[in-house]
Amino acid sequence: MRGEAHAAAQKQSLPSILSQTVKTGIIKSNLVPMFAGLTLAMFTYHYSLLEKLPELLLSFVGSSLIMGAAGAFNNLYDRDIDAIMERTKKRPTVTGEIEPQLVLWLAIIMTVLGLTALAFTTTLAAILGFLGLFFYVVPYTMWSKRRTIYNTEIGSISGAMPPLIGWAAIYPDITHPAVLGLFIIMVIWQMPHFYTIAIRKHDEYKAAKVPMLPVVKGIKRTYIQTNIYLVVLIAASFLFESLSIGLMLVALLLSVAWLALSVLGYSKMDSEKWAKSMFIFSLVHMTVLFSTVIIYSLMGILFGL
């Protein structure tokens, strides 16, 4: 009886179950770079907010639905892994609080609605939305996550799609150095960020047999590879130069500071503290950079700067 009472007490509300199934936290965090790409395109091509209001709203709706679909597909496929890992074993797809068939239909419906919403902006935005979903579900979730230490690199392609989608929703040409800079920075940023998570959750990934780099190759290899990516991140900062020296300097300073923290921190901290400090700075890096891009773009749009 006590066990049944405990289970009843643990039962979650439907909104909470759906929120975890589609990973609303990830949706929210990815809407920021999407909005950065969108506002940067509006500033670059001299559009007003009112002029592109329908595209702006459709971008938020479409992107949210596509990201939610990706999260649902991922939760559905990874139930065996999630059941082993401490941080994921209480997901509704693991506990049985939501039926797998319902999750599948939810993901399919969100995919159709999301792609439709993006298609009403531009065809390119819808194509990029589909590619982001496809790369996350098939090459990452269904293949590389369980088979290779380069799963983070493969997954990073999908993770870097939001700014491209936002830009393409306003202007269907993603060859401008500024948006390529956002894309490359988001690709590279994910490796140091997720490596630190893998270090801190080393035992969980090992138990679940997920071949994360620190688990398979060790901390030193992870440290070296992290620094290589941070050097590439520094170089990518110069892609903003054609649009704004200010944005370039912000990106450059953030990346140089991150590399300095990595090198100095590794020599003075144990691996757990180093990973924690690197994880925190990764969040600072992304928040400051994309906030700066959004503020800079909005100031230019509103005041013609």
Side-chain angles (χ1 to χ4, degrees), residues 12 21 48 69 72 91 138 195-196 203-204 207 254 278 295-296:
Q12 301 181 74
T21 301
S48 69
R91 285 177 175 170
V138 180
Y195 288 167
T196 60
D203 293 342
E204 292 183 38
L254 284 168
M278 290 288 285
I295 292 169
Y296 171 84

Side-chain angles (χ1 to χ4, degrees), residues 235-289:
S237 304
F238 291 97
L239 288 168
F240 288 115
E241 189 270 338
S242 64
L243 183 67
S244 166
I245 296 296
L247 287 181
M248 183 194 78
L249 290 175
V250 170
L252 185 62
L253 290 172
L254 284 168
S255 300
V256 168
W258 199 359
L259 179 60
L261 174 64
S262 178
V263 174
L264 296 175
Y266 188 79
S267 63
K268 295 180 180 179
M269 307 175 189
D270 60 39
S271 59
E272 176 67 25
K273 288 183 179 179
W274 176 77
K276 184 176 181 179
S277 66
M278 290 288 285
F279 173 77
I280 292 171
F281 194 87
S282 72
L283 300 179
V284 172
H285 181 284
M286 191 54 62
T287 301
V288 172
L289 178 60

Side-chain angles (χ1 to χ4, degrees), residues 2-44:
R2 184 179 297 174
E4 291 177 5
H6 178 72
Q10 292 293 312
K11 193 172 182 180
Q12 301 181 74
S13 65
L14 181 60
S16 176
I17 291 170
L18 292 175
S19 174
Q20 292 178 64
T21 301
V22 303
K23 302 185 180 182
T24 53
I26 293 177
I27 293 173
K28 291 174 184 176
S29 63
N30 277 290
L31 285 176
V32 174
M34 188 283 294
F35 189 55
L38 186 148
T39 54
L40 193 59
M42 290 178 69
F43 168 71
T44 303

Side-chain angles (χ1 to χ4, degrees), residues 140-159:
Y140 173 66
T141 298
M142 298 178 71
W143 181 71
S144 66
K145 184 174 181 178
R146 299 162 184 257
R147 290 175 175 81
T148 171
I149 59 171
Y150 296 106
N151 53 35
T152 306
E153 283 81 352
I154 292 169
S156 70
I157 302 298
S158 173

Side-chain angles (χ1 to χ4, degrees), residues 78-230:
D78 277 353
R79 284 171 292 164
D80 57 333
I81 293 175
D82 289 345
I84 297 170
M85 299 183 67
E86 191 67 30
R87 69 187 183 90
T88 58
K89 68 181 184 180
K90 293 182 181 179
R91 285 177 175 170
T93 42
V94 176
T95 61
E97 291 173 281
I98 188 168
E99 292 294 325
Q101 189 174 13
L102 179 58
V103 178
L104 178 61
W105 277 110
L106 180 65
I108 291 171
I109 292 169
M110 291 178 77
T111 298
V112 173
L113 293 177
L115 292 177
T116 301
L118 290 177
F120 274 108
T121 62
T122 69
T123 302
L124 180 59
I127 291 171
L128 292 170
F130 173 78
L131 289 175
L133 176 67
F134 174 80
F135 272 101
Y136 188 72
V137 174
V138 180
Y140 173 66
T141 298
M142 298 178 71
W143 181 71
S144 66
K145 184 174 181 178
R146 299 162 184 257
R147 290 175 175 81
T148 171
I149 59 171
Y150 296 106
N151 53 35
T152 306
E153 283 81 352
I154 292 169
S156 70
I157 302 298
S158 173
M161 282 294 180
L164 293 185
I165 293 171
W167 180 287
I170 299 300
Y171 193 83
D173 182 350
I174 53 172
T175 60
H176 194 289
V179 73
L180 291 178
L182 288 180
F183 175 74
I184 293 170
I185 284 171
M186 274 211 76
V187 168
I188 302 303
W189 175 88
Q190 291 174 80
M191 270 61 82
H193 174 75
F194 286 111
Y195 288 167
T196 60
I197 295 174
I199 291 172
R200 299 175 71 192
K201 302 295 181 182
H202 178 281
D203 293 342
E204 292 183 38
Y205 280 112
K206 186 175 182 180
K209 297 181 180 178
V210 178
M212 299 300 288
L213 182 66
V215 176
V216 178
K217 296 295 184 179
I219 304 298
K220 187 170 183 180
R221 163 69 180 272
T222 304
Y223 164 71
I224 293 170
Q225 203 155 307
T226 293
N227 290 346
I228 291 171
Y229 281 123
L230 290 178

